[in-house]
Amino acid sequence: MKDIKHFLRQNSLRPTKQRVIIASYLFDGVNKHVTAETLSNKLLKMKAGISLATIYNTLHDFYEKGLLKKLMINSDRIYFDTNTEHHHHFYSKKDQKLIDINVDMKVSGLPKPPKNKKINKIEVLVHLDN
Amino acid sequence: MKDIKHFLRQNSLRPTKQRVIIASYLFDGVNKHVTAETLSNKLLKMKAGISLATIYNTLHDFYEKGLLKKLMINSDRIYFDTNTEHHHHFYSKKDQKLIDINVDMKVSGLPKPPKNKKINKIEVLVHLDN
DNA sequence: CAATACATTAGAATCGTTCTAAACTGATAT
DNA sequence: ATATCAGTTTAGAACGATTCTAATGTATTG
Ligand SMILES: [Mn+2]
Ligand SMILES: [Mn+2]
Ligand SMILES: [Zn+2]
Ligand SMILES: [Zn+2]
Protein backbone atom coordinates (compact mmCIF):
# COMPACT_ATOMS: atom_id res chain seq x y z
CA MET A 1 0.00 0.00 0.00
CA LYS A 2 2.76 2.40 0.98
CA ASP A 3 4.86 1.31 -2.00
CA ILE A 4 1.98 1.82 -4.39
CA LYS A 5 1.37 5.35 -3.18
CA HIS A 6 5.07 5.98 -3.48
CA PHE A 7 5.10 4.43 -6.93
CA LEU A 8 2.26 6.67 -8.07
CA ARG A 9 3.93 9.78 -6.62
CA GLN A 10 7.18 8.88 -8.35
CA ASN A 11 5.22 8.96 -11.59
CA SER A 12 3.63 12.35 -10.85
CA LEU A 13 0.25 10.79 -10.16
CA ARG A 14 -1.71 11.63 -7.03
CA PRO A 15 -2.36 8.46 -5.09
CA THR A 16 -6.11 8.66 -4.97
CA LYS A 17 -8.18 5.79 -3.65
CA GLN A 18 -9.17 4.70 -7.16
CA ARG A 19 -5.66 4.91 -8.61
CA VAL A 20 -4.24 2.91 -5.71
CA ILE A 21 -6.80 0.16 -6.25
CA ILE A 22 -6.24 0.04 -10.00
CA ALA A 23 -2.44 0.25 -9.75
CA SER A 24 -2.20 -2.44 -7.11
CA TYR A 25 -4.20 -4.75 -9.32
CA LEU A 26 -2.35 -3.95 -12.54
CA PHE A 27 1.17 -3.85 -11.13
CA ASP A 28 1.04 -6.85 -8.81
CA GLY A 29 3.96 -8.47 -10.60
CA VAL A 30 1.92 -10.55 -13.04
CA ASN A 31 1.76 -9.05 -16.52
CA LYS A 32 -1.74 -8.44 -17.80
CA HIS A 33 -3.65 -7.38 -20.87
CA VAL A 34 -6.80 -5.49 -19.97
CA THR A 35 -9.52 -3.53 -21.69
CA ALA A 36 -11.61 -0.90 -19.94
CA GLU A 37 -14.36 -3.50 -19.75
CA THR A 38 -12.32 -6.42 -18.41
CA LEU A 39 -10.73 -4.13 -15.83
CA SER A 40 -14.12 -2.84 -14.77
CA ASN A 41 -15.42 -6.40 -14.35
CA LYS A 42 -12.37 -7.40 -12.33
CA LEU A 43 -12.78 -4.38 -10.05
CA LEU A 44 -16.45 -5.16 -9.54
CA LYS A 45 -15.53 -8.69 -8.43
CA MET A 46 -13.11 -7.11 -5.96
CA LYS A 47 -16.00 -5.02 -4.62
CA ALA A 48 -14.36 -1.88 -5.91
CA GLY A 49 -16.94 -0.05 -7.95
CA ILE A 50 -15.02 2.54 -9.93
CA SER A 51 -16.78 4.50 -12.63
CA LEU A 52 -16.01 3.72 -16.24
CA ALA A 53 -14.94 7.33 -16.76
CA THR A 54 -12.29 6.93 -14.07
CA ILE A 55 -11.17 3.62 -15.49
CA TYR A 56 -10.65 5.21 -18.90
CA ASN A 57 -8.96 8.25 -17.34
CA THR A 58 -6.66 6.09 -15.25
CA LEU A 59 -5.66 3.78 -18.07
CA HIS A 60 -4.79 6.78 -20.19
CA ASP A 61 -2.94 8.51 -17.34
CA PHE A 62 -0.87 5.37 -16.75
CA TYR A 63 -0.26 5.10 -20.47
CA GLU A 64 0.93 8.72 -20.68
CA LYS A 65 3.39 8.04 -17.86
CA GLY A 66 4.73 5.04 -19.74
CA LEU A 67 3.39 2.52 -17.24
CA LEU A 68 1.22 0.79 -19.82
CA LYS A 69 1.47 0.01 -23.49
CA LYS A 70 -1.50 0.38 -25.82
CA LEU A 71 -2.27 -2.44 -28.22
CA MET A 72 -4.43 -1.75 -31.27
CA ILE A 73 -5.15 -5.24 -32.42
CA ASN A 74 -8.83 -5.33 -32.62
CA SER A 75 -11.16 -2.85 -34.20
CA ASP A 76 -13.51 -2.72 -31.30
CA ARG A 77 -11.51 -2.48 -28.12
CA ILE A 78 -8.20 -1.10 -26.96
CA TYR A 79 -5.97 -3.42 -24.96
CA PHE A 80 -3.58 -2.06 -22.35
CA ASP A 81 -0.50 -4.12 -21.58
CA THR A 82 1.40 -3.98 -18.29
CA ASN A 83 4.43 -5.41 -20.07
CA THR A 84 6.05 -2.28 -21.47
CA GLU A 85 9.08 -4.08 -22.92
CA HIS A 86 9.12 -4.60 -26.65
CA HIS A 87 7.53 -7.99 -27.21
CA HIS A 88 5.12 -9.88 -29.44
CA HIS A 89 1.82 -11.71 -28.97
CA PHE A 90 -0.27 -14.72 -29.63
CA TYR A 91 -3.85 -13.63 -30.15
CA SER A 92 -6.92 -15.79 -29.91
CA LYS A 93 -9.84 -14.06 -31.54
CA LYS A 94 -12.19 -16.68 -30.16
CA ASP A 95 -11.11 -16.04 -26.56
CA GLN A 96 -10.33 -12.35 -27.16
CA LYS A 97 -7.12 -13.10 -25.28
CA LEU A 98 -3.51 -12.05 -25.74
CA ILE A 99 -0.49 -14.05 -24.64
CA ASP A 100 2.97 -12.54 -24.44
CA ILE A 101 5.79 -13.87 -26.57
CA ASN A 102 8.84 -12.93 -24.58
CA VAL A 103 11.49 -14.88 -26.44
CA ASP A 104 13.64 -13.11 -28.97
CA MET A 105 12.24 -13.38 -32.46
CA LYS A 106 13.88 -12.18 -35.60
CA VAL A 107 12.22 -10.97 -38.77
CA SER A 108 14.39 -11.43 -41.83
CA GLY A 109 13.89 -10.25 -45.37
CA LEU A 110 12.35 -6.92 -44.40
CA PRO A 111 12.41 -4.48 -47.32
CA LYS A 112 13.50 -0.87 -46.99
CA PRO A 113 10.80 1.47 -45.70
CA PRO A 114 9.36 3.99 -48.16
CA LYS A 115 11.35 7.17 -48.88
CA ASN A 116 11.54 9.60 -45.96
CA LYS A 117 10.03 7.11 -43.56
CA LYS A 118 11.80 5.46 -40.65
CA ILE A 119 10.87 2.21 -38.96
CA ASN A 120 9.58 2.77 -35.46
CA LYS A 121 8.91 -0.78 -34.37
CA ILE A 122 8.10 -4.19 -35.72
CA GLU A 123 5.17 -6.03 -34.24
CA VAL A 124 4.53 -9.70 -34.81
CA LEU A 125 1.05 -10.95 -34.09
CA VAL A 126 0.49 -14.69 -34.18
CA HIS A 127 -3.17 -15.46 -34.71
CA LEU A 128 -4.40 -18.65 -33.09
CA ASP A 129 -7.18 -20.79 -34.48
CA ASN A 130 -8.88 -22.09 -31.40
CA MET B 1 -18.38 -3.78 -67.51
CA LYS B 2 -19.40 -7.18 -68.86
CA ASP B 3 -16.43 -8.80 -67.10
CA ILE B 4 -17.34 -7.17 -63.80
CA LYS B 5 -20.90 -8.40 -63.95
CA HIS B 6 -19.57 -11.80 -64.82
CA PHE B 7 -17.05 -11.61 -62.01
CA LEU B 8 -19.78 -10.75 -59.51
CA ARG B 9 -22.03 -13.54 -60.74
CA GLN B 10 -19.17 -15.99 -60.48
CA ASN B 11 -18.95 -15.05 -56.84
CA SER B 12 -22.68 -15.49 -56.24
CA LEU B 13 -23.25 -11.77 -56.03
CA ARG B 14 -25.97 -10.06 -58.00
CA PRO B 15 -24.42 -7.44 -60.25
CA THR B 16 -26.38 -4.48 -59.02
CA LYS B 17 -25.49 -0.96 -60.09
CA GLN B 18 -23.80 -0.21 -56.77
CA ARG B 19 -21.82 -3.43 -56.65
CA VAL B 20 -20.60 -2.96 -60.20
CA ILE B 21 -19.38 0.55 -59.39
CA ILE B 22 -17.66 -0.54 -56.18
CA ALA B 23 -16.15 -3.69 -57.68
CA SER B 24 -14.83 -1.92 -60.74
CA TYR B 25 -13.09 0.57 -58.50
CA LEU B 26 -11.72 -1.97 -56.01
CA PHE B 27 -10.67 -4.63 -58.52
CA ASP B 28 -9.14 -2.44 -61.21
CA GLY B 29 -5.83 -4.27 -60.93
CA VAL B 30 -4.21 -1.91 -58.43
CA ASN B 31 -4.24 -3.24 -54.88
CA LYS B 32 -5.90 -0.97 -52.37
CA HIS B 33 -6.53 -0.57 -48.67
CA VAL B 34 -9.85 1.12 -48.01
CA THR B 35 -12.06 1.94 -45.10
CA ALA B 36 -15.79 2.54 -45.44
CA GLU B 37 -15.02 6.24 -45.19
CA THR B 38 -12.20 6.42 -47.73
CA LEU B 39 -14.26 4.35 -50.16
CA SER B 40 -17.26 6.61 -49.68
CA ASN B 41 -15.13 9.69 -50.37
CA LYS B 42 -13.66 8.13 -53.49
CA LEU B 43 -17.12 7.22 -54.79
CA LEU B 44 -18.36 10.74 -54.14
CA LYS B 45 -15.49 12.12 -56.21
CA MET B 46 -16.56 9.73 -58.97
CA LYS B 47 -20.07 11.21 -58.76
CA ALA B 48 -21.37 7.90 -57.48
CA GLY B 49 -23.34 8.62 -54.36
CA ILE B 50 -23.79 5.27 -52.69
CA SER B 51 -25.22 5.14 -49.20
CA LEU B 52 -22.91 4.27 -46.33
CA ALA B 53 -25.12 1.33 -45.45
CA THR B 54 -24.58 -0.12 -48.91
CA ILE B 55 -20.85 0.51 -48.70
CA TYR B 56 -20.67 -1.41 -45.43
CA ASN B 57 -22.91 -4.16 -46.80
CA THR B 58 -20.86 -4.47 -49.97
CA LEU B 59 -17.49 -4.53 -48.22
CA HIS B 60 -18.75 -7.28 -45.96
CA ASP B 61 -20.33 -9.20 -48.84
CA PHE B 62 -17.05 -9.06 -50.77
CA TYR B 63 -15.20 -10.10 -47.63
CA GLU B 64 -17.49 -13.10 -47.11
CA LYS B 65 -16.82 -14.22 -50.66
CA GLY B 66 -13.10 -14.00 -50.04
CA LEU B 67 -12.59 -11.07 -52.39
CA LEU B 68 -11.27 -8.82 -49.64
CA LYS B 69 -9.19 -9.29 -46.55
CA LYS B 70 -10.06 -7.52 -43.31
CA LEU B 71 -7.27 -5.80 -41.42
CA MET B 72 -7.75 -5.01 -37.73
CA ILE B 73 -4.82 -2.75 -37.13
CA ASN B 74 -6.34 0.26 -35.69
CA SER B 75 -8.86 0.53 -32.93
CA ASP B 76 -11.08 2.93 -34.73
CA ARG B 77 -11.51 1.79 -38.29
CA ILE B 78 -11.56 -1.43 -40.22
CA TYR B 79 -9.36 -1.62 -43.31
CA PHE B 80 -10.27 -3.82 -46.26
CA ASP B 81 -7.46 -5.06 -48.46
CA THR B 82 -7.88 -6.06 -52.08
CA ASN B 83 -4.66 -8.09 -51.82
CA THR B 84 -5.95 -11.38 -50.48
CA GLU B 85 -2.58 -13.13 -50.59
CA HIS B 86 -0.80 -13.59 -47.29
CA HIS B 87 1.41 -10.54 -46.88
CA HIS B 88 2.60 -7.98 -44.38
CA HIS B 89 2.40 -4.20 -44.04
CA PHE B 90 4.12 -0.98 -43.27
CA TYR B 91 1.75 1.24 -41.32
CA SER B 92 2.01 4.97 -40.88
CA LYS B 93 -0.18 6.07 -38.04
CA LYS B 94 0.37 9.69 -39.01
CA ASP B 95 -0.93 9.15 -42.55
CA GLN B 96 -3.34 6.39 -41.56
CA LYS B 97 -1.90 4.54 -44.54
CA LEU B 98 -0.93 0.96 -45.18
CA ILE B 99 1.71 -0.20 -47.64
CA ASP B 100 2.02 -3.81 -48.73
CA ILE B 101 5.15 -5.80 -48.04
CA ASN B 102 5.10 -8.41 -50.74
CA VAL B 103 8.58 -9.82 -50.34
CA ASP B 104 9.05 -13.05 -48.44
CA MET B 105 9.83 -12.43 -44.81
CA LYS B 106 10.69 -15.04 -42.28
CA VAL B 107 10.04 -14.96 -38.55
CA SER B 108 12.50 -17.09 -36.60
CA GLY B 109 12.53 -18.02 -32.94
CA LEU B 110 8.78 -18.40 -32.64
CA PRO B 111 7.84 -20.35 -29.52
CA LYS B 112 5.27 -23.14 -29.50
CA PRO B 113 1.68 -21.98 -29.27
CA PRO B 114 -0.19 -22.66 -26.02
CA LYS B 115 -1.61 -26.16 -25.47
CA ASN B 116 -4.51 -27.07 -27.74
CA LYS B 117 -4.01 -24.02 -29.89
CA LYS B 118 -2.87 -23.99 -33.50
CA ILE B 119 -1.24 -21.13 -35.33
CA ASN B 120 -3.52 -19.70 -37.98
CA LYS B 121 -1.31 -17.01 -39.42
CA ILE B 122 1.56 -14.73 -38.57
CA GLU B 123 1.18 -11.05 -39.25
CA VAL B 124 4.07 -8.63 -39.22
CA LEU B 125 3.22 -4.97 -38.90
CA VAL B 126 6.05 -2.50 -39.36
CA HIS B 127 5.16 0.80 -37.74
CA LEU B 128 6.62 3.87 -39.42
CA ASP B 129 7.54 7.04 -37.62
CA ASN B 130 6.78 9.74 -40.12
C1' DC C 1 -8.09 24.10 8.92
C1' DA C 2 -8.32 26.85 4.49
C1' DA C 3 -7.38 27.31 -0.24
C1' DT C 4 -6.66 25.33 -4.56
C1' DA C 5 -5.42 22.32 -8.03
C1' DC C 6 -6.42 17.99 -9.43
C1' DA C 7 -9.53 13.81 -9.69
C1' DT C 8 -13.99 11.38 -9.87
C1' DT C 9 -18.42 10.80 -11.57
C1' DA C 10 -23.01 10.42 -14.03
C1' DG C 11 -24.63 11.24 -17.90
C1' DA C 12 -24.41 13.32 -22.53
C1' DA C 13 -22.00 13.39 -26.80
C1' DT C 14 -19.34 11.33 -30.47
C1' DC C 15 -18.35 8.31 -34.08
C1' DG C 16 -17.60 4.04 -36.56
C1' DT C 17 -20.40 0.37 -37.39
C1' DT C 18 -24.69 -2.45 -37.44
C1' DC C 19 -29.61 -2.92 -37.57
C1' DT C 20 -34.47 -2.05 -39.16
C1' DA C 21 -37.99 -1.78 -42.12
C1' DA C 22 -39.74 0.16 -46.16
C1' DA C 23 -38.95 0.97 -51.07
C1' DC C 24 -36.63 -0.93 -55.08
C1' DT C 25 -34.59 -4.03 -58.59
C1' DG C 26 -32.41 -8.14 -60.76
C1' DA C 27 -33.48 -12.83 -61.90
C1' DT C 28 -36.68 -16.21 -62.99
C1' DA C 29 -41.02 -18.26 -64.43
C1' DT C 30 -45.06 -17.87 -66.87
C1' DA D 1 -42.97 -8.99 -71.86
C1' DT D 2 -45.11 -9.09 -67.14
C1' DA D 3 -45.55 -10.85 -62.72
C1' DT D 4 -43.37 -12.55 -58.91
C1' DC D 5 -40.16 -12.78 -55.34
C1' DA D 6 -35.84 -13.05 -53.21
C1' DG D 7 -32.20 -10.20 -52.74
C1' DT D 8 -30.64 -5.20 -52.40
C1' DT D 9 -30.54 -0.40 -51.24
C1' DT D 10 -31.50 3.21 -48.28
C1' DA D 11 -32.44 6.68 -44.50
C1' DG D 12 -32.40 6.83 -40.23
C1' DA D 13 -32.38 4.59 -35.70
C1' DA D 14 -29.69 1.86 -32.63
C1' DC D 15 -25.48 0.28 -30.72
C1' DG D 16 -21.18 0.18 -28.15
C1' DA D 17 -16.60 1.71 -27.15
C1' DT D 18 -14.66 5.83 -26.03
C1' DT D 19 -14.46 10.81 -24.93
C1' DC D 20 -16.35 14.97 -23.08
C1' DT D 21 -18.80 18.05 -19.74
C1' DA D 22 -19.53 20.15 -15.75
C1' DA D 23 -20.67 19.47 -11.09
C1' DT D 24 -18.93 17.39 -6.85
C1' DG D 25 -15.22 15.46 -4.10
C1' DT D 26 -10.46 15.02 -2.35
C1' DA D 27 -5.23 15.16 -1.89
C1' DT D 28 -1.78 18.50 -1.04
C1' DT D 29 0.29 22.49 0.74
C1' DG D 30 0.66 26.35 3.73
MN1 LIG E 1 -13.47 -6.76 -32.98
MN1 LIG F 1 -7.12 4.76 -34.05
ZN1 LIG G 1 1.88 -8.20 -23.88
ZN1 LIG H 1 -2.21 -5.18 -48.00
Side-chain angles (χ1 to χ4, degrees):
Chain A
M1 326 286 115
K2 206 76 269 171
D3 357 338
I4 286 165
K5 289 191 180 188
H6 184 237
F7 168 78
L8 288 170
R9 281 205 195 83
Q10 276 183 319
N11 286 284
S12 322
L13 292 164
R14 281 198 194 167
T16 63
K17 190 156 50 112
Q18 292 84 348
R19 282 177 180 167
V20 168
I21 292 168
I22 294 175
S24 46
Y25 167 65
L26 289 178
F27 308 118
D28 65 358
V30 181
N31 280 328
K32 295 169 179 63
H33 304 98
V34 303
T35 66
E37 195 195 8
T38 64
L39 179 54
S40 176
N41 290 339
K42 187 64 79 175
L43 293 168
L44 284 176
K45 275 193 219 138
M46 298 172 165
K47 306 285 183 208
I50 297 178
S51 78
L52 252 193
T54 298
I55 289 172
Y56 277 106
N57 288 340
T58 303
L59 288 171
H60 282 117
D61 293 345
F62 288 2
Y63 170 72
E64 307 252 282
K65 301 301 182 185
L67 306 176
L68 293 174
K69 200 193 279 199
K70 239 188 218 179
L71 303 178
M72 320 287 239
I73 281 181
N74 191 300
S75 300
D76 45 48
R77 29 176 47 70
I78 296 172
Y79 287 89
F80 289 87
D81 194 339
T82 60
N83 181 352
T84 54
E85 305 290 311
H86 182 263
H87 65 286
H88 305 287
H89 293 97
F90 287 115
Y91 178 59
S92 164
K93 182 183 180 148
K94 184 168 142 294
D95 309 348
Q96 302 258 297
K97 276 250 171 53
L98 288 159
I99 299 165
D100 279 356
I101 296 177
N102 283 306
V103 305
D104 251 337
M105 294 202 302
K106 214 165 281 166
V107 177
S108 56
L110 192 70
K112 278 201 185 54
K115 265 275 170 264
N116 301 322
K117 303 273 180 184
K118 270 219 301 278
I119 291 176
N120 176 354
K121 65 172 183 295
I122 299 175
E123 264 185 353
V124 178
L125 185 61
V126 183
H127 294 262
L128 298 173
D129 256 343
N130 52 66
Chain B
M1 329 289 120
K2 207 74 268 171
D3 356 339
I4 286 164
K5 290 192 180 187
H6 184 237
F7 168 77
L8 289 170
R9 280 204 195 86
Q10 275 184 320
N11 286 284
S12 325
L13 292 163
R14 277 199 196 167
T16 63
K17 191 157 50 119
Q18 293 84 349
R19 284 177 178 164
V20 168
I21 292 169
I22 294 175
S24 47
Y25 168 66
L26 289 178
F27 309 118
D28 64 359
V30 181
N31 279 329
K32 294 169 179 64
H33 304 99
V34 303
T35 66
E37 195 194 8
T38 64
L39 179 54
S40 175
N41 290 339
K42 187 65 75 175
L43 293 169
L44 283 175
K45 272 192 223 138
M46 296 172 168
K47 306 286 184 208
I50 297 178
S51 79
L52 252 194
T54 298
I55 289 172
Y56 278 105
N57 288 341
T58 303
L59 287 172
H60 282 116
D61 292 345
F62 287 4
Y63 169 72
E64 309 252 282
K65 301 300 182 186
L67 306 177
L68 292 174
K69 200 193 278 200
K70 237 188 216 176
L71 303 177
M72 319 288 237
I73 281 180
N74 191 299
S75 299
D76 43 50
R77 29 176 52 68
I78 297 172
Y79 287 88
F80 289 88
D81 193 340
T82 60
N83 181 352
T84 55
E85 303 290 310
H86 182 263
H87 65 286
H88 305 289
H89 293 97
F90 286 115
Y91 177 59
S92 164
K93 182 184 178 146
K94 182 169 144 294
D95 308 348
Q96 302 257 298
K97 276 249 171 55
L98 288 159
I99 299 166
D100 279 356
I101 297 178
N102 284 307
V103 305
D104 251 338
M105 295 201 302
K106 215 165 279 168
V107 177
S108 56
L110 192 71
K112 278 202 185 52
K115 264 275 170 265
N116 302 321
K117 303 273 180 186
K118 271 219 301 277
I119 291 175
N120 177 352
K121 66 173 182 293
I122 299 175
E123 261 185 356
V124 178
L125 186 61
V126 182
H127 294 263
L128 300 172
D129 256 343
N130 52 66

